[in-house]
Amino acid sequence: MGTSDQQLKKTLRAEALARRDALDVRWRIEASLAMAETAEALAVTPGTIVSGFWPMRSEVDVRPLMAALGAAGARLCLPAILDRTTIVFREMARGAPLVDMGYGTQGPGPDAAVLEPLMMLVPLAAFDARGHRIGYGAGYYDRAIAALRQRGVAPRLVGVAFDCQEVARVPDEPHDQPIPEILTESGLRRLGADL
């Protein structure tokens, strides 16, 4: 990817995050709660390992959705940053203590079991209708998804964002892991890589 594409990604990320930050706080809370009501549409079978994320700044708060999925029998996990390039997914057990994970997030401590999610709720800064996403620039999720696939695990990827984070087109790179589904306040929709 050339320098102009990298600059475009940086600009698209900043613009999408500015739109997200401008959303009314109460509205964001209500939209996050409404997204939790779509848990049934995700059709998660009991025992399915689902990774979520602890919300940062103005992100969608997926904790109500995770609680609904957990009530439906899913096993829940959250990402833990191990080093500058690697995240793992630690089991989030009811009543287990959470520890500071940096960036204002929390998650299960090092004693929690490391799980391989079969469904991943993926945070993002921006996305397009083809299923390409812009993360926060560190590439943790792209590497984690690639590592799971190398081990024969093909997780269902569901991006979670607000509608205002959609952009016309994300410049894609060979290492990018497209997301086939996106959950926003408008509902769950399939994204097509052929657009």
Coordinates of all heavy atoms in Angstrom, one line a residue, residues 54 78 90-101 106-112:
W54 N -14.0 -4.5 25.4 CA -14.4 -3.5 26.4 C -14.3 -2.2 25.7 O -13.3 -1.9 25.0 CB -13.3 -3.5 27.6 CG -13.8 -2.8 28.8 CD1 -13.6 -1.5 29.0 CD2 -14.5 -3.3 29.9 NE1 -14.2 -1.1 30.2 CE2 -14.7 -2.3 30.8 CE3 -14.9 -4.6 30.2 CZ2 -15.4 -2.4 32.0 CZ3 -15.6 -4.8 31.4 CH2 -15.8 -3.7 32.3
L78 N -12.6 -11.8 26.2 CA -12.2 -10.5 25.9 C -10.7 -10.5 25.5 O -10.0 -11.4 25.9 CB -12.3 -9.6 27.1 CG -13.8 -9.2 27.5 CD1 -13.7 -8.4 28.9 CD2 -14.4 -8.3 26.5
R90 N -9.1 -14.1 26.5 CA -9.3 -14.7 27.8 C -10.7 -14.8 28.2 O -11.5 -13.9 28.0 CB -8.5 -13.9 28.9 CG -7.0 -14.0 28.7 CD -6.3 -13.1 29.7 NE -4.9 -13.1 29.6 CZ -4.1 -12.2 30.1 NH1 -4.6 -11.2 30.8 NH2 -2.8 -12.2 29.9
E91 N -11.1 -16.0 28.8 CA -12.4 -16.2 29.2 C -12.9 -15.2 30.2 O -12.2 -14.9 31.2 CB -12.6 -17.6 29.7 CG -14.1 -18.0 30.0 CD -14.3 -19.5 30.2 OE1 -13.4 -20.2 30.5 OE2 -15.5 -19.9 30.0
M92 N -14.1 -14.7 30.0 CA -14.7 -13.8 30.9 C -15.8 -14.6 31.7 O -16.9 -14.9 31.2 CB -15.4 -12.6 30.2 CG -15.8 -11.5 31.0 SD -16.4 -10.1 30.0 CE -18.1 -10.5 29.8
A93 N -15.4 -14.9 32.9 CA -16.3 -15.7 33.8 C -17.1 -14.8 34.7 O -16.5 -13.9 35.3 CB -15.6 -16.8 34.5
R94 N -18.4 -15.2 34.9 CA -19.2 -14.4 35.9 C -18.5 -14.4 37.2 O -18.1 -15.4 37.8 CB -20.6 -15.0 36.0 CG -21.5 -14.2 36.9 CD -22.9 -14.8 36.9 NE -23.6 -14.6 35.6 CZ -24.3 -13.5 35.3 NH1 -24.4 -12.6 36.2 NH2 -24.9 -13.4 34.2
G95 N -18.4 -13.2 37.8 CA -17.8 -13.0 39.1 C -16.3 -13.0 39.2 O -15.7 -12.6 40.2
A96 N -15.6 -13.3 38.1 CA -14.1 -13.3 38.1 C -13.7 -11.8 38.0 O -14.3 -11.0 37.3 CB -13.6 -14.1 36.9
P97 N -12.6 -11.5 38.7 CA -12.1 -10.1 38.7 C -11.6 -9.7 37.3 O -11.1 -10.5 36.6 CB -11.0 -10.1 39.7 CG -10.5 -11.5 39.8 CD -11.7 -12.4 39.5
L98 N -11.7 -8.4 37.0 CA -11.2 -7.9 35.8 C -10.0 -7.0 36.1 O -9.9 -6.5 37.2 CB -12.2 -7.0 35.0 CG -13.5 -7.8 34.6 CD1 -14.5 -6.8 34.0 CD2 -13.1 -8.9 33.6
V99 N -9.0 -6.9 35.2 CA -7.8 -6.2 35.5 C -7.7 -5.1 34.4 O -8.3 -5.2 33.3 CB -6.6 -7.0 35.5 CG1 -6.7 -8.1 36.6 CG2 -6.3 -7.7 34.2
D100 N -6.9 -4.1 34.7 CA -6.6 -3.0 33.7 C -5.8 -3.6 32.5 O -4.8 -4.3 32.7 CB -5.8 -1.9 34.4 CG -5.5 -0.8 33.5 OD1 -6.2 -0.6 32.5 OD2 -4.5 -0.1 33.7
M101 N -6.4 -3.3 31.3 CA -5.7 -3.8 30.1 C -5.1 -2.7 29.3 O -4.6 -2.9 28.2 CB -6.8 -4.5 29.2 CG -7.3 -5.8 29.7 SD -6.0 -7.0 29.6 CE -6.7 -8.3 30.5
Q106 N -10.7 -3.0 30.4 CA -10.5 -4.0 31.4 C -10.7 -5.4 30.8 O -11.3 -5.5 29.7 CB -11.5 -3.8 32.6 CG -11.2 -2.6 33.3 CD -12.0 -2.5 34.6 OE1 -12.7 -3.5 35.0 NE2 -12.0 -1.4 35.3
G107 N -10.2 -6.4 31.4 CA -10.4 -7.7 30.9 C -10.0 -8.8 31.9 O -9.4 -8.4 33.0
P108 N -10.2 -10.0 31.6 CA -9.8 -11.1 32.6 C -8.3 -11.1 32.7 O -7.5 -10.8 31.8 CB -10.3 -12.4 31.9 CG -11.3 -11.9 30.9 CD -10.9 -10.5 30.5
G109 N -7.8 -11.5 33.9 CA -6.4 -11.5 34.2 C -5.7 -12.7 33.6 O -6.3 -13.6 33.0
P110 N -4.4 -12.8 33.8 CA -3.6 -13.9 33.2 C -3.9 -15.3 33.7 O -3.6 -16.3 33.0 CB -2.1 -13.5 33.6 CG -2.3 -12.5 34.7 CD -3.6 -11.9 34.6
D111 N -4.7 -15.4 34.8 CA -5.1 -16.7 35.2 C -6.3 -17.3 34.5 O -6.6 -18.5 34.6 CB -5.4 -16.7 36.7 CG -4.2 -16.4 37.6 OD1 -3.1 -16.7 37.1 OD2 -4.4 -15.9 38.7
A112 N -7.0 -16.4 33.7 CA -8.2 -16.8 32.9 C -7.7 -17.7 31.8 O -6.7 -17.6 31.2 CB -8.9 -15.6 32.4

